[in-house]
Amino acid sequence: MSPEEQKQPTHPETPTAKQAQRSMLLTALYIAQAQYGHLNDEALQRVAERLGLPLSEVYSTASFYSLYRLKPVGRYVIQVCDGLSCHLAGGADTLVDYIRQKLGIRVGETTSDGLFTLQTVECVASCGTSPAVRVNDELYENMTPQKVDRLLDQLAGR
Amino acid sequence: MTKVQITIDGQKIAAEAGSTVLEAAREAGLDIPTLCHHPALSNWGACRICLVEIERQRALQTACTFPVTEGMVVHTESEKVVAARKFVLQLLFSERNHYCMYCQMSGDCELQSLAYRYGLTEWPYPRPVEPLAVDATRQYFVMDHNRCILCRRCVRACAELVANHTLGVRERGIHSMITADLNVPMGESSCIQCGTCLQVCPTGALMDLKSAYRGRETQVERTRSTCVGCSIGCGIELVSRANHLVRIEGDWDAEVNKGLLCVVGRFEPLFDDRQRVTQPLVRRRGLLEPCEWDEALGLVAEKLSGDSLAALITTRATNETMTQFGRLFRSLGAEMAAVGSLAPAPGAEGRLTDLAEADVILVVGADLKKDHQVAGAFVRRAVDRGARLALVADADNGLASYATWHVGFDQMDSLVGMAAQASRPVVVCAADLPAEAEAALAPLAGKASFLGLSRGSNSRGAVAAGLPLSRGGEASARVLYILAEDDRLHIPRNGAGFVVAQASYVGPLTDMADVVLPAPIWAEQSGHVTNTEGRVQSVQAALTPPENVWPTVKVLKTLAGRLNLAL
């Protein structure tokens, strides 16, 4: 860029180059997470370098949002909906307890074979077919312990 | 400036348009309490302690961020405001550990004094405090997260003033914590230990290892002076108690550094553990033995009057010392030199403040992370603002990650050509550049402003006193007189038959000397130094030298008297 182009933007709400880079941070972290599985130091460093942002800023942002993962997760992240509808449908607690026992892990943990991570989430926007479970980006509706059994077997066999 | 009429606590005030309620109130001498606000930092509005009641506003507003408008009516201590502030304080005190009596800041803490002001008498909330690990991985100061109120002054200081961006806040809510880089210990992070965060911390969370528990504000003295750690000459406040240096702080009002300091200026003088020379010493049978001033000066005067003579002076010395030194040794026909050097300035000499306006900054041969670090902060700030840094330096230069272009001396011409095209280029030059590099800068004369960083704190003062500059190793004479004061000079003997060292500390120079004359350290003498921009600044004595240590100028004058020289 020539010094002329470097001049302060004329409109007060036009972002500076720095602000423009910063505005890409959330998307960049999302992409990095998809590539690395979770946001490890290497992923965060690469994001910081590509956007020209300080490491501290990248880490602050990544650790602020609960949907970014700073620790490794299993190949399949099982998110059991803990929202109101799923509760009323009598599912959430039963399903979480059932999966916990079946996999031998607590909520937030990953099985030792690295296959499954169990999480509870606050509504996956499927109230009409509650109780709902999401595995990675796929939705499973009207869940019962029997359906969970079939689903886990199927995933483990993939 | 346009004024707007506002009323604060019944007082009619003409406030500057665009200013905040807080600024207007303080301008009028009214006290609105603050915690996250700091005059040197951006307004944040995070702590909510400065809440005020503004008529026709639905809720209480933060005075530090709310702009004044015509006809505004503000109440700063109404019942509602006081209740809100007390609530905020109760929340702050309900997290982490604020048992003030164990804290080194007790008595000087902004949080504690607000608790007294608003009468906090008990913990109204259960305090589920989990102790947090203290980060003591830095050399000179410690971060105790247990005392942190997350006001983010440190984070803003690191980003906005130092432009080092080491600090951030990790996670959110009750799990929030100040962190460094990718959540690493402070000592392993990109922190440069400038201590600016320490200086702005309102609580005892950042603790200076040297000054902690060594004196409250009411027990210490403050002396405004100038740092002689390098040729920037930052304004400082020397905090002392009972003739001991307790702490060094950056002077917020100093034009040169505006409160910033670096690790060299803030911490290193306090951790100088060299042994002081407290009386004159004369070498007898190979050993230095104490003697009276009279004997030592007699011996020195005798040696100075005879043989070929070389005299060297530290560039940490004041202008007054330089002048006296020059007069004495010039009349003795000595080969004189001050140990330092100036940087080239083939064009108009600039000032550090020029960096704030520059669009291209060409740094030649200087590593501003190692030397002249405060200038480094100003360069980084300029880069954050959108200026581009062109670096002519070794590959491992500390500012490499901020540079748009980074080349070696062999490819310097391309960057000089580019800088010549810029609208406001500033050239920052190190001293002792290769001759080719100096010549390569010629096209920028008349175009750029030049900020030369001289080696040695007061090299410019030496030149003004008529002293030539040198590396210090060239002098060869029968008698060698070295005025080192507290400088760590390395001067070879070069076959001199007799060596006099006027020094504050025991070291290689006193080991070599035949006579040692004790000298005050910089904090014990008043005078002036000339910084690398040519600014003459005042150095003030904050300490009294040990009993038998004479001021440097007095020693030089006494010697002149003994030699019957009228100076």
Side-chain angles (χ1 to χ4, degrees), chain A residues 1 6 54 56 59-60 63-64, chain B residues 165 169 171-172 183 386 388:
Chain A
M1 264 192 284
Q6 279 279 310
S56 57
Y59 189 85
S60 294
S63 63
F64 180 87
Chain B
H165 303 281
V169 183
E171 300 184 45
R172 60 157 93 180
N183 197 28
R388 287 166 305 160

Side-chain angles (χ1 to χ4, degrees), chain A residues 34-108:
Chain A
Q35 279 180 17
Y36 283 82
H38 71 287
L39 294 171
N40 57 15
D41 284 359
E42 189 192 330
L44 293 170
Q45 249 151 21
R46 282 189 61 194
V47 168
E49 268 164 42
R50 282 296 289 273
L51 299 183
L53 293 175
L55 294 176
S56 57
E57 195 170 324
V58 172
Y59 189 85
S60 294
T61 306
S63 63
F64 180 87
Y65 292 103
S66 54
L67 290 178
Y68 292 126
R69 299 185 293 261
L70 298 172
K71 297 217 171 80
V73 288
R75 202 159 113 207
Y76 301 107
V77 180
I78 305 166
Q79 298 179 316
V80 182
C81 179
D82 200 17
L84 185 59
S85 296
C86 289
H87 246 295
L88 292 174
D93 284 351
T94 323
L95 286 177
V96 171
D97 283 346
Y98 184 77
I99 298 171
R100 266 179 25 199
Q101 275 172 20
K102 189 173 165 82
L103 297 178
I105 53 171
R106 284 177 295 193
V107 173

Side-chain angles (χ1 to χ4, degrees), chain B residues 431-503:
Chain B
D432 309 311
L433 287 181
E436 314 84 77
E438 251 187 89
L441 289 170
L444 286 168
K447 177 77 194 163
S449 83
F450 284 83
L451 188 65
L453 300 172
S454 44
R455 182 167 56 76
S457 326
N458 195 17
S459 289
R460 287 194 76 137
V463 172
L467 302 174
L469 299 171
S470 86
R471 287 209 158 269
E474 306 84 346
S476 90
R478 292 290 305 141
V479 175
L480 186 56
Y481 189 105
I482 306 164
L483 199 168
E485 292 189 337
D486 53 5
D487 201 356
R488 294 171 197 267
L489 294 179
H490 295 280
I491 312 285
R493 194 176 183 112
N494 278 357
F498 193 82
V499 177
V500 183
Q502 195 173 350

Side-chain angles (χ1 to χ4, degrees), chain B residues 29-100:
Chain B
L30 294 166
D31 179 26
I32 297 175
T34 52
L35 275 175
C36 72
H37 173 82
H38 190 283
L41 303 172
S42 63
N43 294 327
W44 208 245
C47 76
R48 320 309 285 179
I49 207 73
C50 70
L51 288 174
V52 292
E53 198 173 346
I54 299 174
E55 288 185 10
R56 285 131 80 96
Q57 285 292 325
R58 196 168 50 84
L60 298 181
Q61 300 292 338
T62 46
C64 71
T65 57
F66 208 85
V68 292
T69 48
E70 184 64 42
M72 179 185 268
V73 180
V74 184
H75 305 281
T76 72
E77 291 284 338
S78 68
E79 209 173 304
K80 204 169 156 191
V81 166
V82 169
R85 287 199 191 135
K86 198 164 173 176
F87 175 62
V88 167
L89 284 167
Q90 285 168 343
L91 289 177
L92 285 172
F93 272 86
S94 70
E95 277 184 54
R96 308 207 182 176
N97 182 341
H98 302 293
Y99 284 107
C100 300

